[in-house]
Amino acid sequence: MNCQWCESDTARETSDTVYWELPDGTKAIEIQETPSIHCLDCGMTYQSDETVKEIEDQLFLIDTSKLEKSMTYAELMAAPRLLKRNYFDFSQ
């Protein structure tokens, strides 16, 4: 796997804690055990575009007022949705 930042081939899949601002901008939450990529050469840890989209879509589709300040990625993704999909995402 190549690093998106330094293009080294030492990037590896891992999980990490990330902090995400809610779509309405009211607060940020901690998301533990988030699928991530870590580069052994440059030290950068980041999330794939697919993971970022999954998180952002889920936060848009659930009742964020019921979220705890901290949760795991699996807990976030298992939260019940108010809508079936993000009808405002025109990239599909």
Coordinates of all heavy atoms in Angstrom, one line a residue:
M1 N 0.8 -1.2 0.0 CA 0.0 0.0 0.0 C 0.9 1.2 0.0 O 1.8 1.3 0.8 CB -0.9 0.0 1.2 CG -1.7 1.2 1.5 SD -2.8 1.1 2.9 CE -3.9 -0.2 2.4
N2 N 0.6 2.2 -0.9 CA 1.4 3.4 -1.0 C 0.7 4.5 -0.1 O -0.5 4.7 -0.1 CB 1.5 3.9 -2.4 CG 2.4 3.0 -3.2 OD1 3.3 2.3 -2.7 ND2 2.3 3.1 -4.5
C3 N 1.6 5.3 0.5 CA 1.1 6.4 1.3 C 0.7 7.6 0.4 O 1.3 7.9 -0.6 CB 2.3 6.9 2.2 SG 1.9 8.4 3.1
Q4 N -0.5 8.1 0.7 CA -1.0 9.3 -0.1 C -0.2 10.5 0.1 O -0.3 11.4 -0.7 CB -2.5 9.5 0.3 CG -3.4 8.5 -0.2 CD -4.9 8.8 0.1 OE1 -5.2 9.7 0.8 NE2 -5.8 8.0 -0.4
W5 N 0.6 10.6 1.2 CA 1.3 11.8 1.5 C 2.7 11.8 0.9 O 3.2 12.7 0.3 CB 1.4 12.0 3.0 CG 0.0 12.3 3.6 CD1 -0.8 11.3 4.1 CD2 -0.7 13.5 3.6 NE1 -2.0 11.9 4.4 CE2 -2.0 13.2 4.2 CE3 -0.4 14.8 3.2 CZ2 -2.9 14.2 4.4 CZ3 -1.3 15.8 3.5 CH2 -2.6 15.5 4.0
C6 N 3.5 10.7 1.2 CA 4.9 10.7 0.7 C 5.1 9.7 -0.4 O 6.3 9.5 -0.8 CB 5.8 10.5 1.9 SG 5.8 8.8 2.6
E7 N 4.1 8.9 -0.7 CA 4.2 7.9 -1.8 C 5.1 6.7 -1.4 O 5.4 5.9 -2.3 CB 4.5 8.5 -3.1 CG 3.5 9.5 -3.6 CD 3.8 10.1 -4.9 OE1 4.8 9.7 -5.5 OE2 3.1 11.0 -5.3
S8 N 5.5 6.6 -0.2 CA 6.3 5.4 0.3 C 5.4 4.2 0.2 O 4.2 4.2 0.3 CB 6.7 5.6 1.7 OG 7.2 4.4 2.3
D9 N 6.0 3.0 0.1 CA 5.2 1.8 0.0 C 5.2 1.1 1.4 O 4.9 -0.1 1.5 CB 5.8 0.8 -1.0 CG 7.2 0.4 -0.7 OD1 7.8 0.8 0.3 OD2 7.7 -0.5 -1.4
T10 N 5.4 1.9 2.5 CA 5.4 1.3 3.8 C 4.1 1.6 4.6 O 4.0 1.4 5.8 CB 6.6 1.9 4.7 OG1 6.4 3.3 4.8 CG2 7.9 1.6 4.0
A11 N 3.1 2.1 3.9 CA 1.8 2.4 4.5 C 1.1 1.1 4.9 O 1.1 0.1 4.1 CB 0.9 3.2 3.6
R12 N 0.5 1.1 6.1 CA -0.2 -0.1 6.6 C -1.6 0.2 7.1 O -1.7 1.3 7.7 CB 0.6 -0.8 7.7 CG 2.0 -1.2 7.3 CD 2.0 -2.4 6.4 NE 3.4 -2.8 6.0 CZ 4.0 -2.5 4.9 NH1 3.4 -1.8 4.0 NH2 5.2 -3.0 4.6
E13 N -2.5 -0.7 7.0 CA -3.8 -0.5 7.6 C -3.7 -0.6 9.1 O -3.0 -1.5 9.6 CB -4.8 -1.5 7.0 CG -5.1 -1.3 5.6 CD -6.2 -2.2 5.0 OE1 -6.8 -3.0 5.8 OE2 -6.3 -2.3 3.8
T14 N -4.5 0.2 9.8 CA -4.5 0.2 11.3 C -5.8 0.8 11.7 O -6.7 1.0 10.9 CB -3.3 1.0 11.8 OG1 -3.2 0.9 13.2 CG2 -3.4 2.5 11.4
S15 N -5.9 1.1 13.0 CA -7.1 1.8 13.5 C -6.6 2.9 14.4 O -5.5 2.7 15.0 CB -8.1 0.9 14.2 OG -7.5 0.3 15.3
D16 N -7.4 4.0 14.5 CA -6.9 5.1 15.3 C -8.1 5.9 15.8 O -9.2 5.6 15.4 CB -6.1 6.0 14.4 CG -5.2 7.0 15.2 OD1 -5.0 6.7 16.4 OD2 -4.6 7.9 14.6
T17 N -7.9 6.7 16.8 CA -8.9 7.6 17.3 C -8.9 8.9 16.5 O -7.8 9.5 16.3 CB -8.7 7.9 18.8 OG1 -8.8 6.7 19.5 CG2 -9.7 8.9 19.3
V18 N -10.1 9.3 16.1 CA -10.2 10.6 15.3 C -11.2 11.4 16.0 O -12.0 11.0 16.8 CB -10.6 10.3 13.8 CG1 -9.5 9.5 13.1 CG2 -11.9 9.6 13.7
Y19 N -11.2 12.7 15.6 CA -12.2 13.7 16.1 C -12.9 14.3 14.9 O -12.3 14.7 14.0 CB -11.4 14.7 17.0 CG -10.7 14.1 18.1 CD1 -9.4 13.6 18.0 CD2 -11.4 13.9 19.3 CE1 -8.8 13.0 19.0 CE2 -10.8 13.2 20.4 CZ -9.5 12.8 20.2 OH -8.8 12.1 21.3
W20 N -14.2 14.3 15.0 CA -15.0 14.7 13.9 C -16.0 15.8 14.2 O -16.8 15.6 15.2 CB -15.8 13.5 13.3 CG -15.8 13.4 11.8 CD1 -16.7 14.0 11.0 CD2 -14.8 12.7 11.0 NE1 -16.3 13.7 9.7 CE2 -15.2 12.9 9.7 CE3 -13.7 12.0 11.3 CZ2 -14.5 12.4 8.6 CZ3 -13.0 11.5 10.2 CH2 -13.4 11.7 8.9
E21 N -16.1 16.8 13.5 CA -17.1 17.9 13.7 C -18.4 17.4 13.1 O -18.5 16.9 12.0 CB -16.7 19.2 13.1 CG -17.6 20.3 13.3 CD -17.1 21.6 12.7 OE1 -16.0 21.7 12.3 OE2 -18.0 22.6 12.7
L22 N -19.5 17.6 13.9 CA -20.8 17.2 13.4 C -21.2 18.1 12.2 O -20.8 19.2 12.1 CB -21.8 17.3 14.5 CG -21.6 16.3 15.7 CD1 -22.7 16.5 16.7 CD2 -21.4 14.9 15.2
P23 N -22.1 17.6 11.3 CA -22.5 18.4 10.1 C -23.1 19.7 10.5 O -22.9 20.7 9.7 CB -23.5 17.5 9.4 CG -23.2 16.1 9.9 CD -22.6 16.2 11.3
D24 N -23.8 19.8 11.6 CA -24.4 21.1 12.0 C -23.4 22.0 12.7 O -23.7 23.2 13.1 CB -25.6 20.9 12.8 CG -25.4 20.2 14.2 OD1 -24.2 20.0 14.5 OD2 -26.3 19.9 14.9
G25 N -22.2 21.6 13.0 CA -21.2 22.4 13.6 C -21.3 22.6 15.1 O -20.6 23.5 15.6
T26 N -22.2 21.9 15.7 CA -22.5 22.2 17.1 C -21.4 21.6 18.1 O -21.2 22.2 19.2 CB -23.8 21.6 17.6 OG1 -23.9 20.2 17.3 CG2 -25.0 22.3 16.8
K27 N -20.8 20.6 17.7 CA -19.7 20.0 18.5 C -18.9 19.0 17.7 O -19.2 18.7 16.6 CB -20.3 19.3 19.7 CG -21.2 18.1 19.4 CD -21.8 17.4 20.7 CE -22.7 16.2 20.3 NZ -23.2 15.6 21.5
A28 N -17.9 18.5 18.3 CA -17.1 17.4 17.7 C -17.2 16.2 18.6 O -17.4 16.3 19.8 CB -15.6 17.9 17.6
I29 N -17.0 15.0 18.0 CA -17.1 13.8 18.8 C -15.8 13.0 18.5 O -15.1 13.2 17.5 CB -18.3 12.9 18.4 CG1 -18.2 12.5 16.9 CG2 -19.6 13.6 18.7 CD1 -19.2 11.5 16.5
E30 N -15.5 12.1 19.5 CA -14.3 11.3 19.4 C -14.8 9.9 18.8 O -15.8 9.4 19.3 CB -13.7 11.1 20.7 CG -12.5 10.1 20.8 CD -12.0 9.9 22.2 OE1 -12.7 9.2 22.9 OE2 -10.9 10.4 22.5
I31 N -14.1 9.4 17.8 CA -14.5 8.1 17.2 C -13.3 7.2 17.3 O -12.2 7.5 16.7 CB -14.9 8.3 15.7 CG1 -16.0 9.4 15.5 CG2 -15.4 6.9 15.2 CD1 -16.2 9.7 14.1
Q32 N -13.4 6.3 18.2 CA -12.3 5.3 18.4 C -12.3 4.2 17.5 O -13.3 3.9 16.9 CB -12.4 4.8 19.9 CG -12.4 5.9 20.9 CD -12.9 5.3 22.3 OE1 -13.1 4.2 22.5 NE2 -13.0 6.3 23.2
E33 N -11.2 3.5 17.3 CA -11.0 2.3 16.5 C -11.5 2.6 15.0 O -12.1 1.7 14.4 CB -11.8 1.2 17.1 CG -11.3 0.8 18.5 CD -12.2 -0.2 19.2 OE1 -12.9 -0.9 18.5 OE2 -12.2 -0.2 20.4
T34 N -11.2 3.8 14.5 CA -11.5 4.1 13.1 C -10.5 3.5 12.2 O -9.3 3.7 12.4 CB -11.5 5.7 13.0 OG1 -12.4 6.2 13.9 CG2 -12.0 6.1 11.6
P35 N -11.0 2.8 11.1 CA -10.1 2.3 10.1 C -9.2 3.4 9.6 O -9.7 4.5 9.2 CB -11.0 1.7 9.0 CG -12.3 1.5 9.7 CD -12.4 2.6 10.8
S36 N -7.9 3.2 9.6 CA -6.9 4.2 9.2 C -5.8 3.6 8.5 O -5.6 2.4 8.4 CB -6.4 4.9 10.5 OG -7.4 5.5 11.2
I37 N -4.9 4.5 7.9 CA -3.7 4.1 7.3 C -2.6 4.8 7.9 O -2.7 6.0 8.2 CB -3.8 4.4 5.8 CG1 -5.0 3.7 5.1 CG2 -2.5 4.1 5.1 CD1 -5.4 4.2 3.7
H38 N -1.5 4.1 8.2 CA -0.3 4.7 8.9 C 0.9 4.4 8.1 O 1.2 3.3 7.7 CB -0.1 4.1 10.3 CG 1.1 4.7 11.0 ND1 1.1 6.0 11.5 CD2 2.3 4.1 11.2 CE1 2.3 6.2 12.0 NE2 3.0 5.1 11.8
C39 N 1.7 5.5 7.8 CA 2.9 5.3 7.0 C 4.1 5.2 7.9 O 4.3 6.1 8.8 CB 3.1 6.5 6.1 SG 4.6 6.4 5.1
L40 N 4.9 4.2 7.8 CA 6.0 4.0 8.6 C 7.2 5.0 8.3 O 8.0 5.3 9.1 CB 6.5 2.6 8.5 CG 5.5 1.5 8.9 CD1 6.1 0.1 8.6 CD2 5.2 1.6 10.4
D41 N 7.2 5.5 7.1 CA 8.3 6.5 6.7 C 8.0 7.9 7.1 O 8.8 8.5 7.8 CB 8.4 6.4 5.1 CG 9.3 5.3 4.7 OD1 9.9 4.6 5.5 OD2 9.3 5.0 3.4
C42 N 6.8 8.4 6.8 CA 6.6 9.8 7.1 C 5.8 10.0 8.4 O 5.7 11.1 9.0 CB 5.8 10.6 6.0 SG 4.1 10.1 5.8
G43 N 5.3 8.9 9.0 CA 4.6 8.9 10.2 C 3.1 9.4 10.2 O 2.5 9.5 11.2
M44 N 2.6 9.7 9.0 CA 1.3 10.3 8.8 C 0.3 9.1 9.0 O 0.5 8.0 8.6 CB 1.1 10.8 7.4 CG -0.2 11.4 7.2 SD -0.6 12.8 8.2 CE 0.3 14.1 7.4
T45 N -0.8 9.4 9.8 CA -1.9 8.5 10.0 C -3.1 9.3 9.4 O -3.4 10.4 9.8 CB -2.1 8.2 11.4 OG1 -0.9 7.6 11.9 CG2 -3.3 7.2 11.6
Y46 N -3.9 8.6 8.5 CA -5.0 9.2 7.9 C -6.1 8.2 7.6 O -5.8 7.0 7.7 CB -4.6 10.0 6.6 CG -3.9 9.1 5.6 CD1 -4.6 8.5 4.6 CD2 -2.5 8.9 5.7 CE1 -4.0 7.7 3.6 CE2 -1.9 8.1 4.7 CZ -2.6 7.5 3.7 OH -2.0 6.7 2.8
Q47 N -7.2 8.7 7.2 CA -8.3 7.8 6.8 C -8.5 7.8 5.2 O -8.3 8.8 4.6 CB -9.6 8.2 7.4 CG -9.7 8.0 8.9 CD -8.7 8.9 9.7 OE1 -8.7 10.1 9.4 NE2 -7.9 8.4 10.5
S48 N -8.9 6.7 4.7 CA -9.1 6.6 3.3 C -10.3 7.5 2.9 O -11.2 7.8 3.7 CB -9.4 5.2 2.8 OG -10.6 4.7 3.3
D49 N -10.4 7.9 1.6 CA -11.5 8.7 1.2 C -12.8 7.9 1.4 O -13.9 8.5 1.7 CB -11.4 9.0 -0.3 CG -10.2 9.9 -0.6 OD1 -9.8 10.7 0.3 OD2 -9.8 10.0 -1.8
E50 N -12.8 6.6 1.3 CA -14.0 5.8 1.5 C -14.5 5.9 2.9 O -15.7 6.0 3.2 CB -13.8 4.3 1.1 CG -14.9 3.4 1.3 CD -14.6 2.0 0.9 OE1 -14.5 1.7 -0.3 OE2 -14.5 1.2 1.8
T51 N -13.5 5.8 3.9 CA -13.9 5.8 5.3 C -14.4 7.2 5.7 O -15.4 7.3 6.4 CB -12.6 5.5 6.2 OG1 -12.2 4.1 5.9 CG2 -13.0 5.6 7.6
V52 N -13.8 8.2 5.1 CA -14.3 9.6 5.4 C -15.7 9.8 4.9 O -16.6 10.3 5.6 CB -13.3 10.7 4.7 CG1 -13.9 12.0 4.7 CG2 -12.0 10.7 5.4
K53 N -16.0 9.3 3.7 CA -17.3 9.4 3.1 C -18.3 8.6 4.0 O -19.4 9.1 4.3 CB -17.4 8.9 1.7 CG -18.8 9.0 1.1 CD -18.7 8.9 -0.4 CE -20.1 8.9 -1.1 NZ -21.1 9.6 -0.4
E54 N -18.0 7.4 4.5 CA -18.8 6.6 5.3 C -19.2 7.3 6.6 O -20.4 7.4 7.0 CB -18.2 5.3 5.6 CG -18.1 4.3 4.5 CD -17.4 3.0 4.8 OE1 -16.7 3.0 5.8 OE2 -17.4 2.1 3.9
I55 N -18.2 7.9 7.2 CA -18.4 8.7 8.5 C -19.3 9.9 8.2 O -20.3 10.1 8.9 CB -17.1 9.1 9.1 CG1 -16.3 7.9 9.6 CG2 -17.3 10.1 10.2 CD1 -14.9 8.2 10.1
E56 N -19.0 10.7 7.2 CA -19.7 11.9 6.9 C -21.2 11.6 6.5 O -22.1 12.2 7.0 CB -19.0 12.7 5.9 CG -17.8 13.3 6.4 CD -17.0 14.2 5.5 OE1 -17.4 14.3 4.3 OE2 -16.1 14.9 5.9
D57 N -21.4 10.5 5.7 CA -22.7 10.1 5.4 C -23.5 9.7 6.6 O -24.7 10.1 6.8 CB -22.7 9.0 4.3 CG -22.5 9.5 2.9 OD1 -22.5 10.7 2.7 OD2 -22.3 8.7 2.0
Q58 N -22.9 8.9 7.4 CA -23.6 8.4 8.6 C -24.0 9.5 9.6 O -25.1 9.6 10.1 CB -22.7 7.3 9.4 CG -23.4 6.7 10.6 CD -24.5 5.8 10.2 OE1 -25.0 5.7 9.1 NE2 -25.0 5.0 11.2
L59 N -23.1 10.5 9.8 CA -23.4 11.6 10.6 C -24.5 12.5 10.1 O -25.2 13.1 10.8 CB -22.1 12.4 10.9 CG -21.1 11.8 11.8 CD1 -19.8 12.7 11.8 CD2 -21.6 11.6 13.2
F60 N -24.6 12.5 8.8 CA -25.7 13.2 8.1 C -27.0 12.5 8.3 O -28.1 13.2 8.3 CB -25.3 13.5 6.7 CG -26.2 14.4 5.9 CD1 -26.2 15.8 6.2 CD2 -27.2 14.0 5.0 CE1 -27.0 16.7 5.5 CE2 -28.0 14.8 4.4 CZ -28.0 16.2 4.6
L61 N -27.0 11.2 8.4 CA -28.2 10.4 8.3 C -28.8 10.0 9.7 O -29.9 9.4 9.7 CB -28.0 9.1 7.5 CG -27.6 9.4 6.0 CD1 -27.2 8.1 5.3 CD2 -28.7 10.1 5.3
I62 N -28.1 10.3 10.7 CA -28.6 9.9 12.1 C -28.9 11.1 12.9 O -28.6 12.2 12.6 CB -27.5 9.0 12.8 CG1 -26.2 9.8 13.1 CG2 -27.2 7.8 12.0 CD1 -25.2 9.1 13.9
D63 N -29.6 10.8 14.0 CA -29.9 11.9 15.0 C -28.7 12.1 15.8 O -28.4 11.4 16.8 CB -31.1 11.5 15.8 CG -31.5 12.5 16.8 OD1 -30.9 13.6 16.9 OD2 -32.5 12.3 17.5
T64 N -27.9 13.1 15.5 CA -26.6 13.4 16.2 C -26.8 13.9 17.6 O -25.9 13.9 18.4 CB -25.7 14.4 15.3 OG1 -26.5 15.6 15.1 CG2 -25.3 13.8 14.0
S65 N -28.0 14.4 17.9 CA -28.2 14.9 19.3 C -28.2 13.8 20.3 O -28.0 14.0 21.5 CB -29.6 15.6 19.4 OG -30.7 14.7 19.2
K66 N -28.3 12.5 19.8 CA -28.3 11.4 20.7 C -26.9 10.8 20.8 O -26.7 9.8 21.5 CB -29.3 10.3 20.3 CG -30.7 10.8 20.3 CD -31.7 9.8 19.9 CE -33.1 10.3 20.0 NZ -34.1 9.3 19.5
L67 N -25.9 11.3 20.2 CA -24.5 10.8 20.2 C -23.8 11.1 21.5 O -23.9 12.2 22.0 CB -23.7 11.3 19.0 CG -24.1 10.8 17.6 CD1 -23.2 11.5 16.6 CD2 -24.1 9.3 17.5
E68 N -23.0 10.1 22.0 CA -22.1 10.4 23.1 C -21.0 11.2 22.6 O -20.7 11.3 21.4 CB -21.7 9.0 23.7 CG -22.8 8.1 24.2 CD -23.5 8.7 25.4 OE1 -22.8 9.4 26.2 OE2 -24.7 8.5 25.5
K69 N -20.2 11.7 23.5 CA -19.0 12.5 23.1 C -17.9 11.6 22.6 O -17.0 12.0 21.8 CB -18.4 13.3 24.3 CG -19.3 14.4 24.8 CD -18.7 15.1 26.0 CE -19.6 16.2 26.4 NZ -19.1 17.0 27.5
S70 N -17.9 10.3 22.9 CA -16.9 9.4 22.5 C -17.6 8.0 22.2 O -18.5 7.6 22.9 CB -15.9 9.2 23.6 OG -14.9 8.2 23.1
M71 N -17.2 7.4 21.1 CA -17.8 6.1 20.7 C -16.8 5.4 19.7 O -15.9 6.1 19.2 CB -19.2 6.3 20.0 CG -19.1 7.1 18.7 SD -20.7 7.4 17.9 CE -21.7 7.8 19.3
T72 N -17.0 4.2 19.4 CA -16.2 3.5 18.5 C -16.8 3.7 17.1 O -18.0 4.0 16.9 CB -16.1 2.0 18.8 OG1 -17.4 1.4 18.6 CG2 -15.6 1.7 20.2
Y73 N -16.0 3.4 16.1 CA -16.4 3.5 14.7 C -17.6 2.5 14.5 O -18.6 2.9 13.9 CB -15.2 3.1 13.8 CG -15.6 3.1 12.3 CD1 -15.7 4.2 11.6 CD2 -15.8 1.8 11.7 CE1 -16.0 4.2 10.2 CE2 -16.1 1.8 10.3 CZ -16.2 2.9 9.6 OH -16.5 2.9 8.3
A74 N -17.5 1.3 15.0 CA -18.6 0.3 14.9 C -19.9 0.8 15.5 O -21.0 0.6 14.9 CB -18.1 -1.0 15.5
E75 N -19.8 1.4 16.7 CA -21.0 2.0 17.3 C -21.6 3.1 16.5 O -22.9 3.1 16.3 CB -20.7 2.5 18.7 CG -20.3 1.4 19.7 CD -19.7 2.0 21.0 OE1 -19.2 3.1 21.0 OE2 -19.8 1.3 22.0
L76 N -20.8 4.0 15.9 CA -21.3 5.0 15.1 C -22.0 4.5 13.8 O -23.1 4.9 13.5 CB -20.2 6.0 14.6 CG -20.6 7.0 13.6 CD1 -21.6 8.0 14.2 CD2 -19.3 7.8 13.1
M77 N -21.4 3.5 13.2 CA -21.9 3.0 12.0 C -23.2 2.1 12.2 O -24.0 2.0 11.3 CB -20.9 2.1 11.2 CG -19.7 2.9 10.8 SD -20.0 4.6 10.1 CE -20.5 4.1 8.4
A78 N -23.4 1.7 13.5 CA -24.6 0.9 13.8 C -25.7 1.7 14.3 O -26.8 1.2 14.5 CB -24.2 -0.1 14.9
A79 N -25.5 3.0 14.5 CA -26.6 3.9 14.9 C -27.7 3.9 13.9 O -27.5 3.9 12.7 CB -26.0 5.3 15.1
P80 N -29.0 3.9 14.4 CA -30.1 3.9 13.5 C -30.2 5.2 12.6 O -30.0 6.3 13.1 CB -31.3 3.8 14.4 CG -30.8 3.9 15.8 CD -29.4 3.9 15.8
R81 N -30.5 5.0 11.4 CA -30.6 6.1 10.4 C -32.0 6.6 10.3 O -33.0 5.9 10.4 CB -30.1 5.6 9.0 CG -28.7 5.3 9.0 CD -28.3 4.9 7.6 NE -26.8 4.9 7.4 CZ -26.2 4.7 6.3 NH1 -26.9 4.6 5.2 NH2 -24.9 4.7 6.3
L82 N -32.1 7.9 10.2 CA -33.4 8.6 9.9 C -33.7 8.5 8.5 O -34.9 8.5 8.1 CB -33.3 10.1 10.4 CG -33.0 10.3 11.9 CD1 -32.8 11.8 12.1 CD2 -34.1 9.7 12.7
L83 N -32.7 8.5 7.6 CA -32.9 8.4 6.1 C -32.2 7.1 5.6 O -31.2 6.7 6.3 CB -32.4 9.6 5.4 CG -33.0 11.0 5.8 CD1 -32.2 12.1 5.2 CD2 -34.4 11.0 5.3
K84 N -32.6 6.6 4.5 CA -31.9 5.4 3.9 C -30.6 5.7 3.4 O -29.7 4.9 3.4 CB -32.8 4.8 2.9 CG -34.1 4.2 3.4 CD -34.9 3.5 2.3 CE -36.2 3.0 2.9 NZ -37.0 2.4 1.9
R85 N -30.5 6.9 2.8 CA -29.2 7.3 2.1 C -29.1 8.8 2.1 O -30.1 9.5 2.4 CB -29.0 6.7 0.7 CG -30.0 7.3 -0.3 CD -29.7 6.7 -1.7 NE -30.5 7.3 -2.7 CZ -30.0 8.4 -3.4 NH1 -28.8 8.9 -3.2 NH2 -30.8 8.9 -4.3
N86 N -28.0 9.3 1.8 CA -27.7 10.8 1.7 C -28.3 11.3 0.4 O -27.6 11.2 -0.7 CB -26.3 11.1 1.9 CG -26.0 12.6 1.9 OD1 -26.9 13.4 1.6 ND2 -24.7 12.9 2.2
Y87 N -29.5 11.8 0.4 CA -30.1 12.3 -0.9 C -29.5 13.6 -1.4 O -29.8 14.0 -2.5 CB -31.6 12.4 -0.7 CG -32.3 11.1 -0.4 CD1 -32.6 10.8 0.9 CD2 -32.6 10.3 -1.4 CE1 -33.3 9.5 1.2 CE2 -33.2 9.1 -1.2 CZ -33.5 8.7 0.1 OH -34.2 7.5 0.3
F88 N -28.6 14.2 -0.6 CA -28.0 15.4 -1.0 C -26.6 15.2 -1.6 O -25.9 16.1 -2.0 CB -27.9 16.4 0.2 CG -29.2 16.7 0.7 CD1 -29.7 16.1 1.9 CD2 -30.0 17.7 0.1 CE1 -31.0 16.4 2.3 CE2 -31.3 17.9 0.5 CZ -31.8 17.3 1.7
D89 N -26.1 13.9 -1.7 CA -24.9 13.6 -2.3 C -25.1 13.3 -3.8 O -25.6 12.3 -4.1 CB -24.3 12.4 -1.6 CG -22.9 12.0 -2.1 OD1 -22.4 12.7 -3.0 OD2 -22.4 11.0 -1.7
F90 N -24.7 14.3 -4.6 CA -24.9 14.1 -6.0 C -23.7 13.5 -6.8 O -23.7 13.5 -8.0 CB -25.3 15.5 -6.6 CG -26.5 16.1 -6.0 CD1 -26.4 17.2 -5.2 CD2 -27.8 15.5 -6.2 CE1 -27.6 17.7 -4.6 CE2 -28.9 16.1 -5.7 CZ -28.8 17.1 -4.8
S91 N -22.7 13.0 -6.0 CA -21.6 12.4 -6.6 C -21.8 11.0 -7.0 O -21.0 10.4 -7.7 CB -20.4 12.5 -5.7 OG -20.6 11.7 -4.5
Q92 N -22.9 10.4 -6.6 CA -23.2 9.0 -6.9 C -23.8 8.8 -8.3 O -24.5 9.5 -8.9 CB -24.2 8.5 -5.9 CG -23.6 8.6 -4.5 CD -24.7 8.1 -3.5 OE1 -25.6 7.4 -3.8 NE2 -24.4 8.5 -2.2

